[in-house]
Amino acid sequence: MANKKSGTDLRPIRTTSDVVAAVLPVISVALLLILWYVVSKDHPLTFPTPIATWERFLLLLEQPIMHVSYLGHILVSLRRVLIALLFSWVIGISFGVLIGWNKKMNAFFGSIFEVLRPIPPLAWIPLITICFGVSELSKVRIVFIGAVMAVVINTRAGLQTVDPLYLDVGVAFNANKRQMLMEIAIPAAMPVIFAGVRTSTSVAWTVVLAAEMIGSSSGVGFLVVRGMNGDDLALVLVAMITIGVIGALLAVVTSFIERLVCPWMVKK
């Protein structure tokens, strides 16, 4: 009876917590909209109201810019990001494993990587543009450079901080070097590696928008420039909101992939 009673007592607490957790995001968004309305009400010419922004969004759906629809601009940006992320994950994890697991490779490549790591991704834009022009591949290169650094850093850190106890267990069971790496070290480092994957996703989405602001005729970043050059602040806000929503969706997708690849990391 005591167990049943305690279980019954805990149930309302859990329900209340769930309700609060569901309501708080709605309240935060509502407060943001109210703040937006209050600020824009006094300065409608310099800061579009939510209604004006919504109307500009509907107009964008009806009238494509540069013969590309609203959804088309989003897909162009996502295509650039996904191509760059695919290469950054494969190359970044491979290189991170190399320098994180092999001390000689870390000594050889580590100093070069430490020099390149502090350089911001946006600083590569002039160099890439001068060397390769403003082609589609140049934009992917810029996004790749920004995304791969986070993957390499976290992969190396994850392998270098594997609990020695795990490796000792592998030695006790006569595991060879390949088994130690593939079956012990990499699975143990997965939480840190996926932290780098999540970071690379957000960095890639940020960098592609900056790359699209230079010599581009499509993409969400281009919409920002188009609105800025045309004194169309409502279009700028539409693009900014799109950037935020797509960025949040990318984070959700990345977390979903993490749960699929590493189900043992999911907290019950």
Side-chain angles (χ1 to χ4, degrees):
M1 293 295 293
N3 292 337
K4 292 183 179 180
K5 186 177 181 179
S6 60
T8 305
D9 293 339
L10 288 175
R11 192 173 305 163
I13 297 176
R14 293 177 181 175
T15 304
T16 303
S17 300
D18 293 340
V19 171
V20 171
V23 170
L24 285 178
V26 177
I27 295 176
S28 65
V29 173
L31 291 175
L32 179 61
L33 290 174
I34 293 173
L35 178 62
W36 180 4
Y37 176 77
V38 172
V39 173
S40 62
K41 182 180 179 181
D42 296 331
H43 308 280
L45 297 179
T46 57
F47 197 77
T49 63
I51 296 176
T53 304
W54 174 253
E55 292 176 349
R56 185 62 183 90
F57 169 70
L58 296 178
L59 181 62
L60 180 61
L61 295 179
E62 297 176 0
Q63 299 179 4
I65 296 179
M66 296 296 292
H67 306 290
V68 180
S69 66
Y70 171 70
L71 180 59
H73 285 290
I74 295 175
L75 294 178
V76 167
S77 296
L78 286 176
R79 183 186 64 203
R80 293 163 178 162
V81 167
L82 293 178
I83 293 174
L85 282 177
L86 178 62
F87 283 97
S88 67
W89 291 346
V90 173
I91 296 175
I93 292 176
S94 301
F95 184 69
V97 169
L98 179 67
I99 63 177
W101 184 251
N102 191 307
K103 293 182 179 180
K104 293 181 179 179
M105 292 294 101
N106 186 48
F108 184 78
F109 291 108
S111 57
I112 300 176
F113 179 72
E114 291 299 329
V115 172
L116 296 177
R117 184 178 69 171
I119 302 176
L122 300 184
W124 291 92
I125 293 180
L127 181 62
I128 297 296
T129 302
I130 293 172
C131 294
F132 303 102
V134 291
S135 64
E136 186 74 13
L137 188 56
S138 295
K139 296 177 181 62
V140 174
R141 286 192 181 101
I142 295 170
V143 179
F144 166 79
I145 292 173
V148 73
M149 292 297 178
V151 181
V152 174
I153 292 171
N154 283 69
T155 302
R156 181 177 68 173
L159 286 172
Q160 291 178 342
T161 56
V162 173
D163 193 336
L165 179 61
Y166 297 157
L167 302 179
D168 292 340
V169 172
V171 173
F173 281 91
N174 297 321
N176 55 38
K177 291 183 178 180
R178 186 192 65 81
Q179 291 173 328
M180 294 277 284
L181 174 62
M182 301 300 297
E183 300 180 16
I184 298 177
I186 291 181
M190 273 297 179
V192 184
I193 294 175
F194 261 98
V197 169
R198 289 194 298 269
T199 303
S200 69
T201 303
S202 60
V203 170
W205 182 240
T206 303
V207 173
V208 75
L209 299 171
E212 289 173 348
M213 293 181 183
I214 302 175
S216 180
S217 59
S218 60
V220 183
F222 165 74
L223 293 180
V224 176
V225 176
R226 181 63 176 260
M228 181 178 63
N229 293 338
D231 199 22
D232 189 352
L233 296 181
L235 177 60
V236 174
L237 286 178
V238 169
M240 290 177 62
I241 294 172
T242 302
I243 291 169
V245 172
I246 298 300
L249 291 176
L250 287 175
V252 172
V253 172
T254 305
S255 298
F256 177 74
I257 295 174
E258 181 179 1
R259 290 195 298 269
L260 288 180
V261 177
C262 310
W264 64 88
M265 292 168 47
V266 179
K267 295 181 180 180
K268 297 182 179 180

